[in-house]
Amino acid sequence: MGSLKVTLCAGAALATVLCAPAAYTYAADGGGVSVSPSSPAPGTDVTLRVPDCTEKTAVAVSAAFESDVRLSLAAGDGVLVGSSQVRTSVRAGAYAVQVKCGDQAHKGTITVHDGRRPSTHASPVAPVDAGGGGTAELAASDAGAGARVDPPGTAHTVTGLVLAGIAAVAVALRSVRSRSRGTD
């Protein structure tokens, strides 16, 4: 029980050490600008939220947006909200978002991705991309970068037969032991 307490305390201390710089950075820039979705494709509509602003309106500026974004209070919670569209001609990458709110400058980042989707086949191809975690992408691709193209060879067959033989011997020995003890 003592080692469990030590493990939990060590984990809490590690989390505190790792999270403290992030919390300090967030507080140092006067708060943050949250962009939803945070990784849009070109042409996507985005919503910006700026908490803890002393003004009732503000303007957000970024090279990724079609135009400057007018922010206003959405509710009584003091959060400024506004919407814009990511430029269709913008290249993939990270773009700074800046909001001047009274005497404070709020900053955030928007990461635009290239907008390309994985190619799909006109008809189903086995195996169907229906899950599989991290392997689904490899299985659905045309022989993905790490996918095996050839079937298992002689070495795999021999290894399988050896393992099957070992399992058969283990079962036989167990049966002999249980019969010699009189238990079945």
Side-chain angles (χ1 to χ4, degrees):
M1 187 66 176
S3 68
L4 178 61
K5 288 180 184 179
V6 171
T7 303
L8 290 175
C9 288
L14 181 63
T16 303
V17 168
L18 293 176
C19 293
Y24 176 74
T25 302
Y26 181 77
D29 70 4
V33 177
S34 65
V35 182
S36 177
S38 61
S39 297
T44 303
D45 291 330
V46 293
T47 301
L48 284 75
R49 296 179 55 84
V50 180
D52 303 325
C53 185
T54 57
E55 304 294 320
K56 293 183 180 181
T57 62
V59 175
V61 179
S62 176
F65 299 143
E66 288 285 341
S67 62
D68 294 348
V69 183
R70 299 207 177 270
L71 305 170
S72 59
L73 286 173
D77 59 0
V79 176
L80 296 179
V81 179
S83 297
S84 184
Q85 187 175 45
V86 177
R87 288 186 301 131
T88 56
S89 61
V90 73
R91 291 180 179 234
Y95 293 88
V97 179
Q98 297 179 351
V99 177
K100 182 148 172 91
C101 186
D103 295 338
Q104 293 180 326
H106 295 270
K107 299 176 183 176
T109 304
I110 181 171
T111 304
V112 178
H113 67 81
D114 60 8
R116 288 183 284 174
R117 300 278 184 226
S119 62
T120 57
H121 300 282
S123 62
V125 175
V128 176
D129 187 11
T135 62
E137 214 171 81
L138 285 176
S141 69
D142 287 337
R148 185 183 319 146
V149 178
D150 298 327
T154 305
H156 293 99
T157 305
V158 170
T159 302
L161 289 173
V162 168
L163 291 173
I166 291 171
V169 169
V171 169
L173 287 175
R174 183 175 172 150
S175 296
V176 169
R177 279 189 194 165
S178 63
R179 287 186 189 151
S180 67
R181 290 184 188 155
T183 57
D184 202 16

